[in-house]
Amino acid sequence: MRKLHYWWLCPLSRKVRIFLGELKLPFELKIQNPWELGAGFLILNPAGTLPVFEEQHGVIISDSQTISEYLDETYNAEMIGKDPLKRSETRRLISWFDQKFYTDVWQTIVSCAFQHPTTRERITNPIFIELVINTKNPYTLDDIAETIYSKLDP
């Protein structure tokens, strides 16, 4: 079974989850808290970054864009494009979006959340995590961000 090691609030992990879902490939989710990277995880990815994808035949790939391109090429998805010029433009836009979203949104949310004890407790609570990652729930990252910001002291 394929495995995706991820943190449920990480947008780069979410991108790979969406990609896998679009390809309709079965996979198992393995939650990995970024602040609890153990030796087992560091064997998979010595850089200690998320997400990490394990293919069913043992191949291990890290970095959301590398995983996405591997899936695109291996399963002939052509989601990134066929033409080399279109692929390069797609890569440029994905890189820009990943960088902007990660630094301007995700890091801000997480750094604010972890400064507030109640929010920190909530976003590390397994019940809350399950509620958010359950595919049948109506919550988006916007909802999570709004909840976190609404609980912070002014």
Side-chain angles (χ1 to χ4, degrees):
M1 173 65 94
R2 294 171 192 91
K3 295 177 188 170
L4 179 63
H5 300 263
Y6 77 111
W7 190 46
W8 65 275
L9 192 54
C10 171
L12 304 176
S13 296
R14 191 173 189 89
K15 176 176 81 173
V16 175
R17 284 180 58 206
I18 291 169
F19 210 104
L20 285 162
E22 286 292 319
L23 293 173
K24 297 182 177 28
L25 296 173
F27 64 98
E28 181 182 343
L29 291 170
K30 295 285 198 176
I31 294 176
Q32 178 63 57
N33 293 324
W35 58 90
E36 297 175 342
L37 299 177
F41 179 80
L42 294 174
I43 289 171
L44 294 175
N45 181 12
T49 58
L50 293 166
V52 173
F53 178 71
E54 286 186 75
E55 186 64 271
Q56 42 196 4
H57 55 275
V59 170
I60 298 170
I61 304 165
S62 59
D63 179 71
S64 67
Q65 188 57 29
T66 306
I67 295 167
S68 299
E69 289 193 28
Y70 165 81
L71 293 169
D72 189 62
E73 293 167 5
T74 302
Y75 296 98
N76 299 315
E78 297 180 3
M79 291 172 72
I80 297 175
K82 262 184 152 174
D83 176 76
L85 188 57
K86 287 180 183 176
R87 288 176 69 84
S88 68
E89 178 62 6
T90 301
R91 287 183 181 112
R92 183 189 71 77
L93 291 170
I94 290 170
S95 175
W96 175 82
F97 180 81
D98 285 351
Q99 183 178 13
K100 292 302 260 176
F101 195 82
Y102 185 85
T103 57
D104 295 352
V105 179
W106 187 74
Q107 280 185 333
T108 303
I109 290 171
V110 172
S111 67
C112 289
F114 277 89
Q115 290 173 12
H116 192 277
T118 305
T119 308
R120 178 176 55 244
E121 182 179 314
R122 182 176 293 131
I123 69 170
T124 58
N125 182 314
I127 295 167
F128 182 73
I129 293 169
E130 182 60 33
L131 175 70
V132 173
I133 65 171
N134 182 343
T135 56
K136 295 177 181 151
N137 80 58
Y139 301 112
T140 66
L141 287 176
D142 283 343
D143 298 322
I144 296 165
E146 183 178 329
T147 300
I148 290 170
Y149 280 121
S150 71
K151 301 300 178 192
L152 298 176
D153 295 329

